[in-house]
Amino acid sequence: MTAKTFELSPGYKISRVIRGGWQLAGGHGAIDRVQAVTDLIAAFDVGIRTYDCADIYTGVEELIGEARERLRNERGAEAAGAMKVHTKLVPDLEKLATISRDYIRGIVDKSLRKLKTEQLDLVQFHWWDYALPGYLEALSWLDEMRREGKVRNVGTTNFDTPHIAEILAAGIPLVSQQLQYSVLDQRPSHSLAKLAAENDVRFLCYGSVAGGFLSDKWLGQPEPEMPLENRSLVKYKLIIDDFGDWELFQSLLGALKAVGDRHGVDIATIASAWVLEQPQVAAVIVGARNQAHALANAKIMDISLSDEDRGQISDIIAQSPGLEGDVYTLERDRAGRHGSIMHYNLNAGKV
């Protein structure tokens, strides 16, 4: 059985499954705030005690703050303290050229207020355009707030290997990098995993179920036609296209189903459990739209894949050419298939 917690930094433990917050940002339909808070606490009660959010996920930090407050009121300070919250700091593309210390501090202070806490457990920094050099300075300001005690840990989101190396060389004490990792997308394993191992940087992985494509729902289904119903599905369909054709994807689903049947769980659980086993991976970040999803997601931590399981999955992966480039390189090309669907100025309410 997989260990259910991971020590991300000295004395700081997280659950190996993290409750994603993006689905609460409203892009997936209207949010019932009371029910959302109840669902967040349901995840806590099945052992998913770490939560992921971002300054750009509208309203999500407030919902998680409400959940923490309810835990504090109903169960005491110890229960509230057991809830770990990771947020992201994503400066808008249009702000990067004029980024300032006050801007960075302002976003952190806003997150502290919304999350109803005096210290952010982990702030994960994202930067849209490497051509603009302010990311090192911005990270130094974030690290300044770590030394002050407003931030406990500093991480990054979607930086590639050369830039992670540059950040570490500048003395920024990164504990983690949030990135996309799945049976469809092994870009983190190319060069970043080696650098991360040498510097004790861990991966917090999103996309392990490819927006729902890696699920029983898609097994045996015909290839969907574009446009798909939301941007997340479009994004992950592009990943499937780069992995191989729809027939190879169906073969992968078939392999995951066979493994899942041996363990008594579904395709999505096996897909996430596979990611959890990869080098440098501390946790997978998964969404849950209700309490039943939280229970299903908790089972990820109960799976131990056998050599037979791994072999069956790797045999299919070996037939794929693999995604090109380093972590997030495809997505950074704003004129390319992947980058052209991204939203770059969400703090300002623009795309």
Side-chain angles (χ1 to χ4, degrees):
M1 185 185 294
T2 303
K4 296 197 176 187
T5 61
F6 189 92
E7 191 168 40
L8 195 61
S9 65
Y12 180 69
K13 288 186 178 180
I14 62 171
S15 55
R16 297 210 70 198
V17 172
I18 296 174
R19 170 68 157 84
W22 72 95
Q23 288 180 324
L24 295 174
H28 295 265
I31 301 297
D32 178 334
R33 294 184 67 84
V34 174
Q35 187 61 46
V37 170
T38 297
D39 290 345
L40 288 168
I41 291 173
F44 181 90
D45 287 336
V46 295
I48 301 173
R49 299 196 163 186
T50 309
Y51 298 75
D52 182 76
C53 55
D55 58 329
I56 58 171
Y57 296 170
T58 305
V60 177
E61 287 179 323
E62 291 95 329
L63 284 171
I64 293 174
E66 286 176 33
R68 186 175 358 221
E69 194 78 347
R70 190 165 130 192
L71 277 176
R72 186 179 289 115
N73 293 338
E74 294 178 1
R75 308 187 196 179
E78 188 175 344
M83 185 181 190
K84 309 302 183 192
V85 182
H86 300 170
T87 194
K88 289 186 280 296
L89 197 163
V90 186
D92 287 345
L93 177 63
E94 64 183 24
K95 289 277 187 184
L96 299 189
T98 58
I99 204 93
S100 70
R101 185 170 176 267
D102 285 347
Y103 178 84
I104 295 295
R105 295 183 74 89
I107 292 179
V108 169
D109 286 339
K110 198 180 292 184
S111 291
L112 286 165
R113 286 194 302 274
K114 290 176 178 178
L115 288 166
K116 301 181 188 298
T117 186
E118 293 179 1
Q119 185 184 59
L120 299 176
D121 293 318
L122 172 67
V123 177
Q124 303 161 104
F125 183 75
H126 177 83
W127 191 261
W128 288 115
D129 190 348
Y130 295 142
L132 297 164
Y135 52 89
L136 283 178
E137 201 168 18
L139 275 161
S140 74
W141 295 324
L142 192 53
D143 190 46
E144 187 179 275
M145 299 189 84
R146 181 191 64 82
R147 293 194 300 273
E148 291 171 9
K150 287 190 171 183
V151 172
R152 181 166 183 169
N153 297 291
V154 174
T156 49
T157 301
N158 294 327
F159 277 82
D160 63 15
T161 309
H163 290 89
I164 290 285
E166 184 185 13
I167 291 163
L168 291 167
I172 307 295
L174 299 180
V175 303
S176 65
Q177 149 105 321
Q178 185 174 143
L179 42 67
Q180 183 171 291
Y181 209 157
S182 73
V183 289
L184 296 166
D185 178 8
Q186 292 101 51
R187 286 176 292 175
S189 69
H190 296 169
S191 57
L192 187 56
K194 181 176 183 293
L195 176 70
E198 291 166 352
N199 291 275
D200 202 22
V201 175
R202 297 291 172 167
F203 298 156
L204 307 176
C205 306
Y206 66 86
S208 64
V209 297
F213 273 114
L214 291 168
S215 68
D216 292 73
K217 172 184 172 182
W218 286 98
L219 181 63
Q221 294 301 307
E223 184 169 5
E225 293 183 12
M226 293 287 198
L228 297 168
E229 64 185 86
N230 60 54
R231 195 163 51 92
S232 176
L233 287 176
V234 173
K235 163 188 163 71
Y236 288 111
K237 178 57 169 64
L238 293 174
I239 298 293
I240 291 169
D241 293 345
D242 285 1
F243 175 78
D245 59 20
W246 190 253
E247 186 178 346
L248 183 61
F249 174 63
Q250 285 296 318
S251 297
L252 178 63
L253 289 182
L256 294 170
K257 177 79 165 78
V259 173
D261 286 348
R262 287 198 286 272
H263 291 270
V265 296
D266 63 7
I267 286 172
T269 301
I270 295 300
S272 291
W274 181 91
V275 174
L276 210 47
E277 283 198 350
Q278 301 312 302
Q280 297 308 113
V281 172
V284 291
I285 304 164
V286 294
R289 295 187 186 180
N290 53 48
Q291 295 178 42
H293 283 179
L295 283 167
N297 290 338
K299 290 180 182 176
I300 296 165
M301 296 183 283
D302 295 331
I303 301 296
S304 291
L305 296 176
S306 67
D307 288 342
E308 181 187 1
D309 297 334
R310 294 186 196 97
Q312 197 165 357
I313 295 166
S314 64
D315 284 350
I316 305 297
I317 292 173
Q319 298 174 46
S320 164
L323 272 69
E324 289 182 10
D326 208 326
V327 169
Y328 215 67
T329 299
L330 292 168
E331 293 86 346
R332 283 184 184 277
D333 177 6
R334 295 201 292 277
R337 291 163 56 247
H338 295 264
S340 62
I341 65 167
M342 305 301 293
H343 289 177
Y344 297 94
N345 295 294
L346 288 168
N347 273 304
K350 303 174 184 177
V351 297

